[in-house]
Amino acid sequence: MATWVISECGVKPLPKIYPRPRTGLLPKTSVPSSFRPLPVCKSSNFGFSWSSSTGFKGQNWKLNVSAPLWVSNVGEEGKERVVVNGGEGAEDESGFDPGAPPPFKLADIRAAIPKHCWVKDPWRSMSYVLRDVVVVFGLAAAAAYFNNWVVWPLYWIAQGTMFWALFVLGHDCGHGSFSSSPKLNSVMGHLLHSSILVPYHGWRISHRTHHQNHGHVENDESWHPLSEKIYKNLDNATKMLRFTLPFPMLAYPFYLVGNSSDFWGRSPGKKGSHFDPNSDLFLPNERKDIITSTACWTAMVALLGCLSFVMGPVQILKLYVVPYSIFVMWLDLVTYLHHHGHEDKLPWYRGKEWSYLRGGLTTLDRDYGLINNIHHDIGTHVIHHLFPQIPHYHLVEATEAAKPVFGKYYREPKKSGPLPFHLLGSLIKSMKKDHYVSDTGDVVYYQTDQELYGPTGSST
């Protein structure tokens, strides 16, 4: 990973809170002498990296997502690109190669984004929380009042979608884009995520790892590809579970728990629970954070248990458990489609070919129709991955401003109808074709296991 970051006012060394990846083969790198720093600024309303030493009882509440300072230039001397499985075939009719280093830098994208897009308004963020909470309780009250089997399925879909909306707001807290107050971010993050059985700090830290390593074969944390060797060592039952719907869309709770299982855990070759303060997911100084989040999660489970005695387990099943399952499906669907399922080939990187910018440019925007507003434009994902500190309500504007810089590296999402049924086709196609990547090569593309589903054509 890069060892320097862009801050609000210039450049500075990457803080020690950003550990080197614990897994993978990413070599040590250094900042080249040709890097281009941003000019010193006077405003503190926006930037790339910041932290606060204040907190509850001396805890260090840091915002742990940062963007590296530099990316490789096209035609960089002394670098030999090793492209495997799809290198030449990845070029389109115009000769565009999505795996080639882009002719722009992270600072060029940042400069194109209006300054007000970086400003975080806590009152506006809280208004979205209020809106979602009112809808959640309103839906529950209406379903309990009518209590018939015509209403319940509609309630489950609507409430599961609202649980997903709550998760996205908690996700903003984890990135520090909810507000400039680390205390407020942490309090709201715990309330929002614990209410839907997500351990806030445990998730926040592993999600930080995902953002710091997006697009890296070994070091990425979320929906990253399996190498050919690991894939072929899986038993057939695990392969089918990982690539046969609906099972991958129910994986999130098992990912949080984490164990040695190839399917019912984080990922083959990776272990560690989001609830365990001693997990290799976390640093020793993050132990108290994990204990706090696990305690909040446990309190929510206890509350649901008490409500089961008061209201009856069947009623809690209908009011909470089924919507929770729909929420999990939303989470797995959206996060998977951020990085898979495009009609063109998407590169994954290793070694010196990987950079923060090039990894971020392999993410995808998706259009969810009416759901865009409900789940806070989380489908506007490319800009979010590159600049996670931008509030969700500025992502669309920031993306439009950055498109001229992106050029062909931005993949325009297919327009959705009122409901995004078209994305189910992208999901099914990707599950049938995107199975593993080569064990060798610095720029690799997904390959298809023809024996798993039979001939399906070339991989995307």
Side-chain angles (χ1 to χ4, degrees):
M1 292 180 61
T3 55
W4 290 70
V5 292
I6 307 170
S7 69
E8 296 93 326
C9 299
V11 297
K12 63 181 182 181
L14 191 64
K16 294 182 179 180
I17 60 170
Y18 300 94
R20 292 190 60 77
R22 300 178 180 84
T23 60
L25 304 174
L26 189 61
K28 294 182 178 180
T29 60
S30 58
V31 178
S33 58
S34 59
F35 74 80
R36 185 177 70 178
L38 285 176
V40 174
C41 63
K42 296 181 180 180
S43 173
S44 60
N45 289 331
F46 54 92
F48 285 77
S49 175
W50 65 97
S51 66
S52 173
S53 61
T54 62
F56 298 125
K57 297 183 179 180
Q59 290 194 37
N60 193 13
W61 303 97
K62 294 183 174 69
L63 307 184
N64 293 322
V65 175
S66 180
L69 174 64
W70 66 280
V71 294
S72 304
N73 291 316
V74 173
E76 185 175 348
E77 296 182 0
K79 176 179 287 188
E80 179 181 357
R81 296 180 65 229
V82 182
V83 184
V84 175
N85 300 314
E88 296 180 358
E91 295 183 359
D92 61 20
E93 294 180 355
S94 66
F96 171 68
D97 180 2
F104 51 83
K105 296 180 181 293
L106 201 63
D108 298 325
I109 306 170
R110 177 196 176 281
I113 299 174
K115 291 184 178 181
H116 69 266
C117 289
W118 305 90
V119 178
K120 293 164 279 190
D121 183 351
W123 293 106
R124 186 171 182 179
S125 296
M126 288 298 297
S127 72
Y128 287 108
V129 173
L130 179 62
R131 182 196 76 174
D132 289 357
V133 169
V134 168
V135 173
V136 165
F137 280 98
L139 288 172
Y145 176 78
F146 290 105
N147 194 23
N148 67 68
W149 290 104
V150 175
V151 172
W152 282 117
L154 298 175
Y155 165 76
W156 292 334
I157 295 172
Q159 191 71 297
T161 303
M162 291 310 303
F163 281 13
W164 166 233
L166 293 179
F167 176 89
V168 175
L169 292 177
H171 158 272
D172 285 0
C173 294
H175 282 301
S177 60
F178 188 88
S179 78
S180 296
S181 168
K183 289 183 179 180
L184 178 60
N185 292 336
S186 186
V187 170
M188 294 308 303
H190 276 97
L191 290 174
L192 292 165
H193 274 188
S194 297
S195 70
I196 49 175
L197 297 179
V198 175
Y200 172 68
H201 280 310
W203 167 85
R204 175 185 63 80
I205 293 169
S206 70
H207 190 65
R208 175 191 70 196
T209 301
H210 167 54
H211 268 261
Q212 289 175 336
N213 298 279
H214 48 208
H216 193 286
V217 173
E218 285 84 16
N219 296 337
D220 204 342
E221 176 63 27
S222 177
W223 291 116
H224 64 93
L226 302 178
S227 68
E228 184 174 6
K229 180 179 180 180
I230 291 177
Y231 176 84
K232 292 189 173 180
N233 283 332
L234 299 177
D235 59 75
N236 290 332
T238 298
K239 291 178 183 178
M240 292 299 295
L241 285 172
R242 288 186 65 86
F243 298 103
T244 302
L245 296 172
F247 302 110
M249 298 297 101
L250 298 170
Y252 186 68
F254 304 99
Y255 163 76
L256 290 178
V257 173
N259 55 35
S260 59
S261 168
D262 287 331
F263 177 74
W264 305 111
R266 282 176 60 200
S267 183
K270 292 189 176 184
K271 301 178 183 179
S273 170
H274 288 71
F275 301 93
D276 181 4
N278 298 313
S279 169
D280 63 358
L281 279 165
F282 315 120
L283 297 175
N285 63 354
E286 295 167 334
R287 188 172 184 273
K288 290 183 179 180
D289 287 347
I290 305 308
I291 293 173
T292 299
S293 294
T294 301
C296 291
W297 182 93
T298 304
M300 184 62 193
V301 172
L303 176 61
L304 291 172
C306 293
L307 291 175
S308 296
F309 282 104
V310 174
M311 305 173 64
V314 174
Q315 193 73 344
I316 293 301
L317 177 70
K318 293 188 294 184
L319 285 171
Y320 187 91
V321 177
V322 178
Y324 172 80
S325 300
I326 300 296
F327 148 66
V328 168
M329 291 182 186
W330 266 116
L331 190 153
D332 284 323
L333 169 72
V334 174
T335 55
Y336 181 88
L337 290 177
H338 285 161
H339 307 276
H340 302 80
H342 197 265
E343 54 268 24
D344 299 324
K345 294 185 176 183
L346 297 177
W348 288 80
Y349 302 101
R350 291 187 176 101
K352 293 183 178 179
E353 286 295 333
W354 180 89
S355 72
Y356 183 90
L357 175 61
R358 292 172 73 182
L361 291 175
T362 66
T363 60
L364 297 168
D365 280 7
R366 299 289 188 178
D367 184 14
Y368 292 87
L370 295 177
I371 309 297
N372 286 332
N373 181 265
I374 295 173
H375 72 184
H376 309 292
D377 289 314
I378 193 62
T380 310
H381 203 66
V382 179
I383 280 292
H384 165 70
H385 245 280
L386 293 173
F387 307 107
Q389 62 274 36
I390 295 179
H392 73 264
Y393 41 84
H394 291 317
L395 289 175
V396 173
E397 181 181 359
T399 297
E400 290 299 321
K403 282 183 183 180
V405 180
F406 285 137
K408 286 192 174 182
Y409 285 89
Y410 179 80
R411 300 160 184 89
E412 194 74 39
K414 181 179 179 180
K415 293 299 181 182
S416 173
L419 296 176
F421 293 119
H422 70 288
L423 293 177
L424 295 178
S426 299
L427 174 67
I428 293 170
K429 180 181 177 182
S430 179
M431 284 287 171
K432 289 183 176 180
K433 300 177 76 172
D434 299 342
H435 297 154
Y436 62 87
V437 297
S438 173
D439 293 321
T440 60
D442 293 335
V443 183
V444 295
Y445 295 81
Y446 268 113
Q447 300 180 60
T448 302
D449 179 2
Q450 302 291 355
E451 296 180 359
L452 186 62
Y453 288 114
T456 58
S458 60
S459 64
T460 56

